[in-house]
Amino acid sequence: MSNYESHSYELVADCRLRAATDLFAHTWDPVALAALRTGPRRRRELRSAIGGISDKVLTETLHRLLANGLVNRRAYAEAPPRVEYSLTDLGESLVDGPMRALGRWTLEHGDELFEAQEAWHGRYRLADELNGDLHPNRA
Amino acid sequence: MSNYESHSYELVADCRLRAATDLFAHTWDPVALAALRTGPRRRRELRSAIGGISDKVLTETLHRLLANGLVNRRAYAEAPPRVEYSLTDLGESLVDGPMRALGRWTLEHGDELFEAQEAWHGRYRLADELNGDLHPNRA
DNA sequence: GACGTTACGCACCGATCGGTGCGTAACAAG
DNA sequence: CTTGTTACGCACCGATCGGTGCGTAACGTC
């Protein structure tokens, strides 16, 4: 972070982009946000709506979303406990801005993505391609 | 993945969204894509343009982008070696679709995000808030 | 012949990520 | 009085992530 060469400034300074992409860095964070797009949900509802997340990780995920100001938390003094999570204004702007754009992209280009992944699938390793491509005088 | 309750179907089936967010899951992948938005670049140029990435991780990053069909790789049989990376059509569609949306969001709401993060910063831990909020009859 | 450059590979390492399992405080229902 | 429910916490664990350091094949330069 302390080394600024001529070129590096362009993207290191664009850390604002990283601040945004980091919001998608953890597996379940975007899914949890998407699960909240229809309105407030209790913790238990979220768990089943997401499907496949562990209890501990759900806590961590919600903690991050709270820390990033993307969701609100309301606890009611009832028994059994009742806690509702909902999107903040900031969270909503993220969901129906960039995340909706991601959704559209997946609808339009998802097949291409899957085809590309399938086409690669183990058949080429970088080393192999290198030895045939960069050093063709071998063999 | 084998357990389908009533609610879970909604989002587990929306794994297409996860397929997209997973493209942003690794720290440097989106940065590398952004670095290629202006045209083809040699590996060394990318390294300094990105700034802060290690040599090994750059290799892994490019390998993933290749495997996902987001970038092309062209090797010239020269010495010293010369390899150029560029965006595929799929990669370009991702960059100037969702990634540009992310960029716009950061420009508009980046400050709110940073404020929220700063406001949280260590002052509240979830456990503390819980003991004051959910169990107010204590103390 | 020693040296530098480029684009890698490989061994090793600490930190983080996500998962499992178990405990708990509060109350309501049987 | 035992059992169930909810929303957590905590200890532990294997896998993955990103970083460091070192080696190498090919060739041009001095």
Side-chain angles (χ1 to χ4, degrees):
Chain A
M1 295 291 188
S2 59
N3 197 5
Y4 285 93
E5 305 137 63
S6 55
H7 276 295
S8 67
Y9 186 70
E10 176 188 345
L11 283 170
V12 170
D14 213 343
C15 274
R16 299 214 146 210
L17 177 63
R18 280 208 44 195
T21 58
D22 283 354
L23 297 177
F24 298 91
H26 295 88
T27 309
W28 299 107
D29 290 28
V31 186
L33 286 173
L36 287 169
R37 72 187 184 280
T38 52
R41 295 231 180 187
R42 299 183 59 174
R43 183 200 154 90
R44 192 62 167 44
E45 292 170 342
L46 271 178
R47 183 155 159 52
S48 65
I50 291 174
I53 192 174
S54 80
D55 219 352
K56 192 202 71 169
V57 175
L58 177 59
T59 299
E60 294 170 352
T61 298
L62 291 170
H63 182 218
R64 264 192 309 274
L65 298 179
L66 286 167
N68 287 326
L70 298 174
V71 307
N72 292 313
R73 177 180 184 275
R74 281 206 58 180
Y76 302 83
E78 302 175 0
R82 174 161 156 243
V83 178
E84 279 188 353
Y85 293 91
S86 57
L87 293 177
T88 62
D89 289 348
L90 187 61
E92 258 185 75
S93 74
L94 183 68
V95 167
D96 51 50
M99 282 194 53
R100 211 165 284 277
L102 253 186
R104 277 196 303 269
W105 183 85
T106 323
L107 285 178
E108 288 176 30
H109 302 91
D111 291 340
E112 303 173 47
L113 177 64
F114 292 139
E115 282 171 28
Q117 289 171 342
E118 196 68 23
W120 191 272
H121 192 60
R123 291 191 295 160
Y124 295 110
R125 291 183 200 155
L126 190 51
D128 300 348
E129 199 206 0
L130 271 172
N131 287 329
D133 213 26
L134 187 61
H135 314 302
N137 33 349
R138 272 289 186 87
Chain B
M1 293 294 188
S2 59
N3 197 5
Y4 286 93
E5 305 137 65
S6 55
H7 278 296
S8 67
Y9 185 70
E10 177 189 343
L11 283 170
V12 169
D14 212 345
C15 274
R16 301 212 144 211
L17 178 62
R18 279 209 45 196
T21 57
D22 282 355
L23 297 177
F24 297 91
H26 295 88
T27 309
W28 298 108
D29 290 28
V31 186
L33 286 174
L36 287 169
R37 74 185 184 278
T38 53
R41 296 232 179 184
R42 300 184 58 173
R43 184 199 154 91
R44 192 66 167 40
E45 293 172 341
L46 271 177
R47 183 156 158 54
S48 66
I50 292 173
I53 191 175
S54 82
D55 220 350
K56 193 203 70 168
V57 175
L58 177 59
T59 299
E60 294 170 352
T61 298
L62 291 170
H63 183 219
R64 265 192 308 273
L65 298 180
L66 286 167
N68 287 328
L70 298 174
V71 307
N72 291 314
R73 176 180 185 276
R74 280 206 59 180
Y76 301 84
E78 302 175 1
R82 176 162 154 241
V83 179
E84 280 188 354
Y85 293 91
S86 57
L87 292 178
T88 62
D89 289 348
L90 187 60
E92 258 185 74
S93 74
L94 183 68
V95 167
D96 52 50
M99 281 194 54
R100 210 165 286 276
L102 253 186
R104 277 196 303 270
W105 183 84
T106 322
L107 285 179
E108 287 176 29
H109 301 92
D111 291 341
E112 303 173 46
L113 177 64
F114 293 140
E115 282 171 26
Q117 289 171 343
E118 196 67 24
W120 192 272
H121 191 62
R123 292 192 294 159
Y124 295 109
R125 291 181 200 156
L126 189 51
D128 300 349
E129 198 205 0
L130 271 173
N131 287 329
D133 213 24
L134 188 60
H135 314 300
N137 32 348
R138 275 289 187 88

